[in-house]
Amino acid sequence: SVTYQLHNPNGVTKIKTIQWGSANNAIPKFDLYCSTDDVTFSYVWTADLGTGAGTNEAISGLAPPPLPATPPPTVAPVCSSWKLEIAAENKDWEAHIFEIELYSGDQMISGAGMGIATSDCERSSPDGAFDGDTSTKWVTCSGAKVGKSVTYQLHNPNGVTKIKTIQWGSANNAI
């Protein structure tokens, strides 16, 4: 027998073989067995390939297994405060962030009068990154910033699905 282990388990409903052109050297039938534990096999169906010579297909007559159910779409939680923790940095220089815009769908939910920004890593107030004015900015602390954060407390709780930033043009001063 030959065992073929699928990387992604699935139902086999058709077999195609290309064998030697002479029926004397071909296999006309295969019994298909299935295992879910790679040890115990159960008979499922027989692939009848005629004489087996040349190219042949055998169809089981079984319906293919249903596709795995797609998980429900992930929905952003509605929160009153959103913490943006720095997960990576380009250099250990301070970063200059002119604007951080938080969106729920296509609606911007941050900006002047929409919340309060605080940070544990600042050389200037993070409010400058949430005021809708690109002439102001938040300058982060210098040195290692990974794990540091800015928190934006919304006046009206909402889910964040998109973030847009406007940062210094050099990667040395951006997150």
Side-chain angles (χ1 to χ4, degrees):
S1 71
V2 173
T3 302
Y4 186 79
Q5 185 175 11
L6 297 170
H7 291 294
N8 296 311
N10 205 331
V12 176
T13 60
K14 178 168 74 171
I15 292 179
K16 180 178 179 178
T17 63
I18 301 174
Q19 300 187 52
W20 193 264
S22 165
N24 294 331
N25 299 94
I27 297 173
K29 291 184 181 181
F30 286 98
D31 287 335
L32 272 77
Y33 292 81
C34 176
S35 174
T36 57
D37 62 7
D38 301 326
V39 176
T40 308
F41 287 83
S42 300
Y43 171 80
V44 180
W45 64 283
T46 298
D48 187 341
L49 300 166
T51 65
T55 302
N56 295 283
E57 286 186 2
I59 298 174
S60 69
L62 301 172
L67 294 175
T70 53
T74 304
V75 176
V78 173
C79 298
S80 57
S81 292
W82 286 89
K83 178 178 172 182
L84 288 72
E85 187 171 288
I86 299 169
E89 60 185 330
N90 294 318
K91 294 275 186 185
D92 61 0
W93 302 357
E94 70 275 357
H96 295 246
I97 303 174
F98 295 98
E99 281 301 307
I100 299 174
E101 297 174 351
L102 305 177
Y103 290 83
S104 183
D106 291 328
Q107 178 185 357
M108 190 166 70
I109 59 173
S110 63
M114 300 174 87
I116 300 166
T118 56
S119 176
D120 60 356
C121 178
E122 61 184 65
R123 289 185 60 173
S124 68
S125 171
D127 287 327
F130 291 94
D131 61 3
D133 181 354
T134 57
S135 69
T136 62
K137 61 184 173 186
W138 168 41
V139 180
T140 68
C141 55
S142 57
K145 294 180 287 305
V146 172
K148 301 290 187 179
S149 63
V150 61
T151 300
Y152 192 75
Q153 184 178 7
L154 296 166
H155 294 314
N156 297 310
N158 210 329
V160 173
T161 60
K162 178 172 70 173
I163 297 174
K164 180 179 175 183
T165 65
I166 301 171
Q167 300 189 54
W168 192 268
S170 165
N172 291 332
N173 294 96
I175 295 178

